[in-house]
Amino acid sequence: MKQKGILMVLSGFSGAGKGTLIKALLKKYNEYALSISMTTRAPREGERDGVEYFFTTREKFEETIVDNGLIEYALYCGNYYGTPRAYVEEQMAAGKNVILEIEIQGALKIKEKFPDSLLVFVTPPSAEELKRRLEGRGTESADVIAQRLARATEESEGIEAYDYIVVNDNLDECVEELHRLVDASRRAPVRCQELIKEIREELKGFAKGAK
Amino acid sequence: MKQKGILMVLSGFSGAGKGTLIKALLKKYNEYALSISMTTRAPREGERDGVEYFFTTREKFEETIVDNGLIEYALYCGNYYGTPRAYVEEQMAAGKNVILEIEIQGALKIKEKFPDSLLVFVTPPSAEELKRRLEGRGTESADVIAQRLARATEESEGIEAYDYIVVNDNLDECVEELHRLVDASRRAPVRCQELIKEIREELKGFAKGAK
């Protein structure tokens, strides 16, 4: 029997390198699949439907909510964002670990609904390095950088809700570490429910047999 | 700076092969140290002071309690059993992961006092296999085996309190898995408190600087 995949939520500061990390993980290991969010916001320049997001109308999005077609969704700045259920479930059943890149509120919702999901927080080695990376992009104004850092300060308050923190210092090492953590997480009781149940039932069977 | 060692509690059914697993881990990796319990019970034939246990008097044991010299202790069948603090703290400070082999009540006490301790439960691949191993020893009466299995049934109720479950099917693989789990556990927020604190403080510093 094929082992069911893990639902992995990846969050982290803007500038932590989540996107690059996910791309490298998908490229290196065949057992991961990336969930693509559905949104009602308009595509930005260069964004392609089915790549960055599935772009849809508000009406269609609300229909999908009603049909229980999303595993989580949120309304953000007047636009809906959500995670389509079908893709996640299909891929997990096929043994793929499905990656959701979402922020902490979404992550907590996922954990509540799927206690066996794995929450991973990605951070640069230090806040100093985070600042350097944001400034180094050279595309953001000082204001935007200050906003990102303020947001990072807020986000940092939620780190304890995550199962693991990975430090993205060296990309290759970080990919390997993330992969190892997914593997290790399979040994947490919440992801060994079947084994635990079997052992308990068998043991109870012996006790009855002995009476 | 040397990385502080992890306090690892190892529990598991009698017959799971904890002893063999610990010996193999200590032999293969230099970074582990085994904590030896102190007890007031009399040595059994073949038991050596400082190897299986530190054997001591009731008076000396109670003095050690008063001096806060134990990280946990219990009274069991009229005898004290406890974990000497000094050895654990010295070894951890030296970067060694210290292994305590104790049962679930002790494990929970340790977790309460040391939230960053790592609780690992060792199990054979199935209860059937556990029974086979207990019977295969050929040294235990049917009554004793029935008692062990009854105790295993009780213990199995506590598995969810552990951080990880390892299945001891193949010894070498199990040693490797255990080692990988200790490594992975370093990325749990509870064991990254320093990093989290540093990042938070730095981020707050930027926010103040920006005002």
Side-chain angles (χ1 to χ4, degrees):
Chain A
M1 202 185 74
K2 195 139 197 172
Q3 199 176 20
K4 202 186 147 215
I6 285 177
L7 182 60
M8 172 163 69
V9 174
L10 213 71
S11 308
F13 306 131
S14 164
K18 297 185 294 291
T20 320
L21 182 59
I22 291 171
K23 261 187 218 148
L25 188 69
L26 289 168
K27 199 175 161 191
K28 185 153 185 188
Y29 295 102
N30 191 33
E31 66 206 74
Y32 294 88
L34 179 62
S35 157
I36 297 166
S37 296
M38 186 184 266
T39 184
T40 58
R41 86 152 161 70
R44 293 189 191 131
E45 205 176 312
E47 285 183 341
R48 292 145 298 173
D49 186 43
V51 179
E52 282 80 13
Y53 286 98
F54 291 110
F55 295 100
T56 189
T57 61
R58 197 175 178 96
E59 198 185 355
K60 182 80 202 333
F61 197 103
E62 289 175 347
E63 266 174 36
T64 314
I65 297 174
V66 172
D67 294 344
N68 196 25
L70 301 169
I71 63 172
E72 60 85 37
Y73 70 93
L75 196 59
Y76 180 71
C77 296
N79 287 304
Y80 280 120
Y81 294 80
T83 303
R85 179 184 302 278
Y87 181 81
V88 170
E89 291 185 346
E90 280 160 25
Q91 295 294 317
M92 282 172 70
K96 301 265 186 180
N97 302 316
V98 178
I99 308 168
L100 309 187
E101 189 196 332
I102 47 180
E103 41 55 75
I104 185 162
Q105 276 75 22
L108 295 179
K109 275 193 215 169
I110 292 287
K111 190 73 171 181
E112 213 182 294
K113 279 201 199 172
F114 306 91
D116 58 350
S117 61
L118 179 67
L119 270 48
V120 178
F121 195 90
V122 186
T123 174
S126 68
E128 192 56 61
E129 172 62 21
L130 178 70
K131 191 163 173 252
R132 212 164 14 237
R133 287 189 198 172
L134 290 172
E135 287 169 354
R137 286 180 179 175
T139 54
E140 252 91 51
S141 66
D143 258 14
V144 170
I145 292 172
Q147 273 174 32
R148 296 254 158 109
L149 288 172
R151 184 156 167 77
T153 310
E154 278 174 43
E155 284 168 343
S156 77
E157 294 305 318
I159 295 184
E160 274 87 352
Y162 287 76
D163 294 299
Y164 295 117
I165 304 178
V166 296
V167 176
N168 189 6
D169 197 358
N170 171 300
L171 181 65
D172 288 339
E173 280 172 22
C174 193
V175 167
E176 279 313 295
E177 176 154 65
L178 191 53
H179 184 62
R180 282 198 304 270
L181 292 176
V182 171
D183 218 43
S185 76
R186 293 196 176 273
R187 306 312 318 160
V190 73
R191 294 176 204 94
C192 297
Q193 289 300 307
E194 220 157 303
L195 173 71
I196 296 173
K197 200 176 148 223
E198 271 170 30
I199 288 179
R200 279 182 185 152
E201 282 175 5
E202 255 187 277
L203 284 169
K204 277 175 195 154
F206 295 153
K208 269 186 202 151
K211 266 173 200 164
Chain B
M1 202 186 71
K2 196 138 196 172
Q3 198 176 20
K4 202 185 147 215
I6 284 177
L7 182 59
M8 172 164 68
V9 174
L10 212 71
S11 307
F13 306 130
S14 164
K18 295 185 295 289
T20 320
L21 182 60
I22 291 171
K23 261 186 218 148
L25 188 70
L26 289 167
K27 199 176 162 190
K28 185 154 186 188
Y29 295 102
N30 191 33
E31 65 206 73
Y32 294 89
L34 179 63
S35 158
I36 297 166
S37 296
M38 185 183 267
T39 184
T40 58
R41 88 152 159 72
R44 292 188 192 133
E45 205 176 312
E47 284 183 344
R48 292 146 298 172
D49 186 43
V51 180
E52 283 78 13
Y53 286 98
F54 291 110
F55 296 100
T56 189
T57 61
R58 197 174 177 97
E59 196 185 356
K60 182 79 202 330
F61 197 104
E62 289 174 347
E63 265 174 36
T64 314
I65 296 174
V66 172
D67 293 346
N68 196 24
L70 301 169
I71 62 171
E72 59 85 35
Y73 69 94
L75 196 58
Y76 179 72
C77 297
N79 287 304
Y80 280 119
Y81 294 81
T83 303
R85 178 183 302 277
Y87 181 81
V88 170
E89 291 185 347
E90 280 160 26
Q91 294 294 317
M92 283 172 69
K96 301 265 186 180
N97 302 315
V98 178
I99 308 168
L100 308 188
E101 189 197 333
I102 46 179
E103 40 55 76
I104 185 163
Q105 276 74 23
L108 295 178
K109 274 192 214 169
I110 292 286
K111 191 74 171 182
E112 211 183 295
K113 277 200 201 172
F114 306 91
D116 58 349
S117 61
L118 178 69
L119 270 48
V120 178
F121 195 90
V122 186
T123 174
S126 68
E128 192 56 60
E129 172 63 20
L130 179 69
K131 192 165 170 250
R132 216 172 3 245
R133 287 188 198 173
L134 289 172
E135 287 168 353
R137 287 179 177 177
T139 54
E140 252 91 51
S141 67
D143 258 16
V144 170
I145 292 172
Q147 274 175 32
R148 296 254 159 106
L149 287 172
R151 185 157 165 75
T153 310
E154 279 174 42
E155 283 169 344
S156 76
E157 295 305 317
I159 296 184
E160 275 88 354
Y162 286 76
D163 294 299
Y164 295 117
I165 304 178
V166 297
V167 176
N168 189 6
D169 196 358
N170 171 300
L171 180 66
D172 288 340
E173 281 172 22
C174 193
V175 167
E176 278 314 295
E177 176 154 67
L178 191 53
H179 185 61
R180 283 198 303 268
L181 291 176
V182 171
D183 218 44
S185 76
R186 293 195 176 275
R187 306 312 318 160
V190 73
R191 294 178 203 91
C192 296
Q193 289 301 306
E194 220 158 302
L195 173 70
I196 296 173
K197 199 175 148 223
E198 271 171 31
I199 288 179
R200 280 183 184 151
E201 283 175 3
E202 257 187 278
L203 283 169
K204 277 178 194 152
F206 294 154
K208 268 185 202 152
K211 267 171 200 166

